[in-house]
Coordinates of all heavy atoms in Angstrom, one line a residue:
Q11 N 0.8 -1.2 0.0 CA 0.0 0.0 0.0 C 0.9 1.2 0.0 O 2.1 1.2 0.3 CB -0.9 0.0 1.2 CG -1.9 -1.1 1.2 CD -2.8 -1.1 2.4 OE1 -2.5 -1.6 3.5 NE2 -3.9 -0.3 2.3
P12 N 0.3 2.4 -0.3 CA 1.1 3.6 -0.3 C 1.7 3.9 1.2 O 1.1 3.4 2.2 CB 0.1 4.7 -0.6 CG -0.9 4.0 -1.4 CD -1.0 2.6 -0.8
V13 N 2.8 4.6 1.3 CA 3.3 5.0 2.6 C 2.7 6.3 3.0 O 2.2 7.1 2.2 CB 4.9 5.1 2.5 CG1 5.5 3.8 2.2 CG2 5.3 6.2 1.5
R14 N 2.6 6.4 4.4 CA 2.0 7.6 4.9 C 3.1 8.6 5.2 O 4.1 8.3 6.0 CB 1.2 7.3 6.2 CG 0.5 8.5 6.9 CD -0.4 8.0 8.0 NE 0.4 7.5 9.1 CZ 1.0 8.2 10.1 NH1 0.8 9.5 10.1 NH2 1.7 7.6 11.1
E15 N 3.0 9.8 4.7 CA 4.1 10.8 4.9 C 3.9 11.5 6.2 O 2.8 12.0 6.6 CB 4.1 11.8 3.8 CG 5.3 12.8 3.9 CD 5.2 13.8 2.7 OE1 4.5 14.8 2.8 OE2 5.9 13.5 1.7
V16 N 5.0 11.6 7.0 CA 5.0 12.4 8.2 C 6.3 13.3 8.2 O 7.3 12.9 7.5 CB 5.0 11.5 9.5 CG1 3.7 10.7 9.6 CG2 6.2 10.6 9.6
E17 N 6.3 14.4 8.9 CA 7.4 15.3 8.9 C 8.0 15.3 10.3 O 7.2 15.5 11.3 CB 7.1 16.7 8.4 CG 6.7 16.7 6.9 CD 6.4 18.1 6.4 OE1 6.1 18.9 7.3 OE2 6.4 18.3 5.2
I18 N 9.3 15.3 10.5 CA 9.9 15.5 11.8 C 11.0 16.6 11.6 O 11.6 16.7 10.6 CB 10.6 14.2 12.3 CG1 11.7 13.7 11.3 CG2 9.5 13.1 12.6 CD1 12.5 12.5 11.9
P19 N 11.2 17.4 12.7 CA 12.1 18.5 12.6 C 13.6 18.0 12.5 O 13.9 17.0 13.2 CB 11.9 19.3 13.9 CG 11.2 18.3 14.9 CD 10.5 17.3 14.0
K20 N 14.4 18.7 11.7 CA 15.8 18.4 11.7 C 16.6 19.5 12.5 O 16.0 20.4 13.0 CB 16.3 18.5 10.2 CG 15.7 17.4 9.3 CD 16.0 17.6 7.8 CE 17.5 17.5 7.6 NZ 17.8 17.5 6.1
K21 N 17.9 19.2 12.7 CA 18.7 20.1 13.5 C 18.7 21.5 13.0 O 18.8 22.5 13.8 CB 20.2 19.6 13.5 CG 20.4 18.2 14.0 CD 21.8 17.8 13.8 CE 22.1 16.3 14.2 NZ 23.5 15.9 14.0
D22 N 18.7 21.7 11.6 CA 18.8 23.1 11.1 C 17.4 23.8 11.0 O 17.3 24.9 10.5 CB 19.4 23.0 9.7 CG 18.6 22.1 8.7 OD1 17.5 21.7 9.1 OD2 19.1 21.9 7.6
G23 N 16.4 23.2 11.6 CA 15.1 23.8 11.6 C 14.2 23.4 10.5 O 13.0 23.7 10.5
S24 N 14.7 22.7 9.5 CA 13.9 22.2 8.3 C 13.2 20.9 8.8 O 13.3 20.5 9.9 CB 14.8 22.0 7.1 OG 15.8 21.0 7.3
K25 N 12.5 20.3 7.9 CA 11.7 19.1 8.2 C 12.2 18.0 7.3 O 12.6 18.1 6.2 CB 10.2 19.3 7.8 CG 9.5 20.4 8.6 CD 9.3 20.0 10.1 CE 8.6 21.1 10.9 NZ 7.2 21.2 10.5
R26 N 12.3 16.8 8.0 CA 12.7 15.6 7.3 C 11.4 14.8 7.0 O 10.6 14.6 8.0 CB 13.6 14.7 8.1 CG 13.9 13.4 7.5 CD 14.9 12.5 8.3 NE 16.3 13.0 8.1 CZ 17.0 13.5 9.0 NH1 16.6 13.6 10.2 NH2 18.3 13.8 8.7
K27 N 11.2 14.4 5.8 CA 10.0 13.6 5.5 C 10.2 12.1 5.6 O 11.1 11.6 5.0 CB 9.5 13.9 4.0 CG 9.0 15.4 3.9 CD 8.6 15.7 2.5 CE 8.1 17.1 2.4 NZ 7.6 17.4 1.0
L28 N 9.4 11.4 6.4 CA 9.4 10.0 6.5 C 8.3 9.4 5.8 O 7.2 9.9 5.8 CB 9.4 9.6 8.0 CG 10.5 10.1 8.9 CD1 10.3 9.6 10.3 CD2 11.9 9.8 8.4
G29 N 8.4 8.2 5.3 CA 7.3 7.4 4.7 C 7.0 6.2 5.6 O 7.9 5.3 5.6
I30 N 5.9 6.2 6.2 CA 5.6 5.1 7.1 C 4.8 4.0 6.4 O 3.6 4.3 6.0 CB 4.8 5.6 8.3 CG1 5.5 6.8 9.0 CG2 4.5 4.5 9.4 CD1 6.9 6.5 9.5
P31 N 5.3 2.8 6.2 CA 4.5 1.8 5.6 C 3.5 1.2 6.6 O 3.6 1.4 7.8 CB 5.6 0.7 5.3 CG 6.9 1.3 5.5 CD 6.7 2.4 6.6
T32 N 2.6 0.4 6.1 CA 1.7 -0.3 7.0 C 2.5 -1.4 7.7 O 3.6 -1.8 7.3 CB 0.5 -1.0 6.2 OG1 1.1 -2.0 5.3 CG2 -0.2 0.1 5.3
L33 N 1.9 -1.9 8.7 CA 2.5 -3.0 9.5 C 2.8 -4.2 8.6 O 3.9 -4.8 8.7 CB 1.7 -3.4 10.7 CG 1.4 -2.3 11.8 CD1 0.7 -2.9 12.9 CD2 2.6 -1.5 12.2
R34 N 1.8 -4.5 7.8 CA 2.0 -5.7 6.9 C 3.2 -5.5 5.9 O 3.9 -6.4 5.6 CB 0.7 -6.0 6.1 CG -0.4 -6.5 7.0 CD -1.6 -6.9 6.2 NE -2.7 -7.5 7.1 CZ -3.7 -8.1 6.7 NH1 -3.9 -8.4 5.4 NH2 -4.6 -8.6 7.5
D35 N 3.3 -4.3 5.4 CA 4.3 -4.0 4.5 C 5.7 -4.0 5.2 O 6.7 -4.4 4.6 CB 4.1 -2.6 3.8 CG 3.0 -2.6 2.7 OD1 2.8 -3.7 2.2 OD2 2.4 -1.6 2.5
R36 N 5.7 -3.6 6.4 CA 7.0 -3.6 7.2 C 7.4 -5.0 7.4 O 8.6 -5.4 7.2 CB 6.8 -3.0 8.6 CG 7.0 -1.4 8.5 CD 6.8 -0.8 9.9 NE 5.6 0.0 9.9 CZ 5.1 0.6 11.0 NH1 5.7 0.4 12.1 NH2 4.0 1.3 10.9
I37 N 6.5 -5.9 7.7 CA 6.8 -7.3 7.9 C 7.3 -7.9 6.6 O 8.3 -8.6 6.5 CB 5.7 -8.1 8.5 CG1 5.3 -7.6 9.9 CG2 5.9 -9.6 8.5 CD1 4.0 -8.1 10.4
A38 N 6.6 -7.6 5.5 CA 7.0 -8.2 4.2 C 8.4 -7.7 3.7 O 9.2 -8.4 3.2 CB 5.9 -7.8 3.1
Q39 N 8.6 -6.4 4.0 CA 10.0 -5.8 3.7 C 11.0 -6.5 4.5 O 12.1 -6.8 4.0 CB 10.0 -4.3 3.9 CG 9.2 -3.5 2.9 CD 9.4 -2.0 3.1 OE1 10.4 -1.6 3.5 NE2 8.4 -1.3 2.7
Q40 N 10.7 -6.8 5.8 CA 11.7 -7.5 6.6 C 12.1 -8.8 6.1 O 13.2 -9.3 6.2 CB 11.2 -7.5 8.1 CG 12.2 -8.1 9.1 CD 13.3 -7.1 9.3 OE1 13.1 -6.0 9.6 NE2 14.6 -7.6 9.2
V41 N 11.1 -9.6 5.6 CA 11.3 -10.9 5.0 C 12.3 -10.8 3.9 O 13.3 -11.6 3.8 CB 10.0 -11.5 4.5 CG1 10.3 -12.8 3.8 CG2 9.1 -11.8 5.7

């Protein structure tokens, strides 16, 4: 499924974008 985008602050004040997969996708990727 698509990843969910979230933003977290970086040291320099800008934002780092993370892509959060579903739990099932995380398990499949780990395999």
Side-chain angles (χ1 to χ4, degrees):
Q11 293 181 273
V13 295
R14 182 173 66 87
E15 185 180 85
V16 298
E17 294 182 341
I18 59 172
K20 293 174 68 175
K21 298 176 186 177
D22 58 7
S24 62
K25 299 287 182 70
R26 173 180 283 116
K27 293 181 179 180
L28 302 183
I30 308 300
T32 64
L33 301 186
R34 290 188 180 193
D35 285 337
R36 276 179 246 175
I37 295 168
Q39 287 187 31
Q40 185 69 52
V41 172

